[in-house]
Amino acid sequence: MAEIDDFDLDRSTAQAWSEFSVRLAEVISMIDESADLTIRSFSAGDEPPFVRLSSPERLAIRAEAAGNGSLGASYQLSDSQQAALLAAGWRAPDETCPNFSSDHSQDAAEEIAELVVGALRDVYGVQHPVFLDPDQLAEILRTEPSVIEGPDGATTVSSGTLLDGDAGGGGSGLERVPAGRGVTMTAVLPADRDHLEALVETELTASLGHPPIRDEEGDIVIRVGSTLLFLRTAADAQDVVLFSAVVHDVDGRSRATEVLNDLNVEARWVKFQLVRDRVFVLTSVPARPFVPAHLHQAVRVMSDVADGVDDELAAKLGGRTTFGGEL
């Protein structure tokens, strides 16, 4: 099984924002007068934070960050948040625009992307790119599908169908595009880790509607309710491990070990593991051969467990959940 001892959530999150910024810059460099791009915080509430990008004229980009005139009551910006936007280079709202704004040459796509990420992450409090609106996330992350080449030089294309049931896995909040009721049982023998990575990414792209977000170490991250699920392939391509850090800053390792031992006795598909002061839940999908249906089943199981146990387990162990239970 792939090791997770070296996993660092803060580092992974920073790397994911870095990758998101790079892809956003590519999109900004291609925006023209024909369409706008609005990136919203994913939320069930009304009028959540957003940043809008448009091209009022050729090779010019205007960025708007939602001001209080555009935000719902529960998202109103404090004085310090508004000051942070001004300090970052945004102009204050006025009678012509209810939002903070900033104008740039399209050649400054990277700087614009950094400005947008700063507003979303540092001011509006979006914890991770996967907590952005799925539709807009797809717009930014979508790329041309890659061809998967097997050990004999043949190409492989997976159907990406999901298990029966609703898309949320019992309210887990897993964002994915609904698929048919069939289950793809195609088995593929990966040639190496790169081949396995490509197979996994193809399946998740079909499920999510866009390529999954990765950090610089190659871990894939998916939003499941109020927490995150990570996927990592083993170096020998023998399996794919799925894991989630469900509790942080555990108070008392002995007590935690007892609680997790009891959970592991009862658990059927997953294992709970204490790594320093964090509790992980994890499972492994055999990958020789790789069967897409098995990956989708593991994602569903982990989604239900990770988002269903974190609050109760954090309270029992005197720790905290990944995002404090808030989006």
Side-chain angles (χ1 to χ4, degrees), residues 221-238:
V221 59
I222 304 173
R223 183 179 72 86
V224 286
S226 60
T227 191
L228 302 175
L229 174 62
F230 294 85
L231 290 82
R232 176 181 294 183
T233 58
D236 59 5
Q238 290 289 330

Side-chain angles (χ1 to χ4, degrees), residues 169-319:
S172 69
L174 174 63
E175 294 304 317
R176 55 195 181 195
V177 176
R181 296 179 63 83
V183 179
T184 176
M185 295 300 293
T186 304
V188 181
L189 189 64
D192 52 27
R193 187 179 191 179
D194 288 341
H195 187 201
L196 177 58
E197 290 276 2
L199 291 166
V200 171
E201 181 156 332
T202 294
E203 286 301 314
L204 293 178
T205 297
S207 302
L208 298 167
H210 58 79
I213 289 178
R214 291 181 182 267
D215 59 29
E216 293 178 4
E217 296 175 0
D219 292 337
I220 290 174
V221 59
I222 304 173
R223 183 179 72 86
V224 286
S226 60
T227 191
L228 302 175
L229 174 62
F230 294 85
L231 290 82
R232 176 181 294 183
T233 58
D236 59 5
Q238 290 289 330
D239 64 342
V240 181
V241 63
L242 294 79
F243 63 94
S244 178
V246 291
V247 182
H248 306 257
D249 303 328
V250 169
D251 183 17
R253 288 180 57 87
S254 297
R255 166 63 175 162
T257 299
E258 293 177 1
V259 171
L260 298 186
N261 283 343
D262 290 341
L263 285 174
N264 283 328
V265 169
E266 300 175 1
R268 180 178 184 183
W269 303 110
V270 303
K271 179 174 71 174
F272 291 88
Q273 182 174 324
L274 181 65
V275 179
R276 293 180 288 278
D277 64 347
R278 293 175 297 173
V279 174
F280 288 85
V281 58
L282 63 159
T283 192
S284 178
V285 179
R288 297 189 67 81
F290 171 76
V291 180
H294 293 169
L295 176 67
H296 293 305
Q297 181 181 24
V299 169
R300 160 166 281 175
V301 169
M302 283 289 293
S303 299
D304 290 341
V305 173
D307 192 43
V309 75
D310 55 349
D311 289 327
E312 181 179 352
L313 195 56
K316 184 175 293 187
L317 300 181

